[in-house]
Amino acid sequence: ISIPNIPSSDGAIYVNGDSMYPILKSGDIITYKRIDIDPQKIFFGEMYVLAIKIDENTTLKTIKFIQKSDLGTNYIKLVSHNQHHIFKDVCLDEITAIGLVRASIRLHN
């Protein structure tokens, strides 16, 4: 299958949860382009998929808007579209991977 006008991407994952509802719904597919974990590479205000280290054995994958944090340049603020979810400041050292969301696909069964 070929999908017209989808920008180049490094991968795709299914969306789980409702933190980005109604922009993204659980079951949607997003494509992403990996970037370096570097504040100079982040386009603040855009949507990203992130892998965040919780502990030695656990990584959380999440999709959020990224904004500048009030805690300094070594932190970013993760913001949901769904206002029932509270923002969270995360240290860049806790992020193991980050990708700019390039497209979303919604399946209608």
Side-chain angles (χ1 to χ4, degrees), residues 8-60:
S8 67
S9 300
D10 294 321
I13 61 169
Y14 281 102
V15 174
N16 291 309
D18 68 348
S19 70
M20 296 305 286
Y21 182 83
I23 295 173
L24 299 174
K25 290 178 22 178
S26 191
D28 289 354
I29 299 168
I30 59 109
T31 68
Y32 61 90
K33 183 73 172 169
R34 287 189 77 150
I35 66 165
D36 295 332
I37 303 166
D38 176 355
Q40 299 296 333
K41 306 279 180 156
I42 294 172
F43 293 95
F44 292 98
E46 293 295 325
M47 189 184 307
Y48 288 85
V49 59
L50 303 103
I52 302 169
K53 185 176 181 178
I54 302 298
D55 61 34
E56 299 264 339
N57 303 313
T58 309
T59 302
L60 168 72

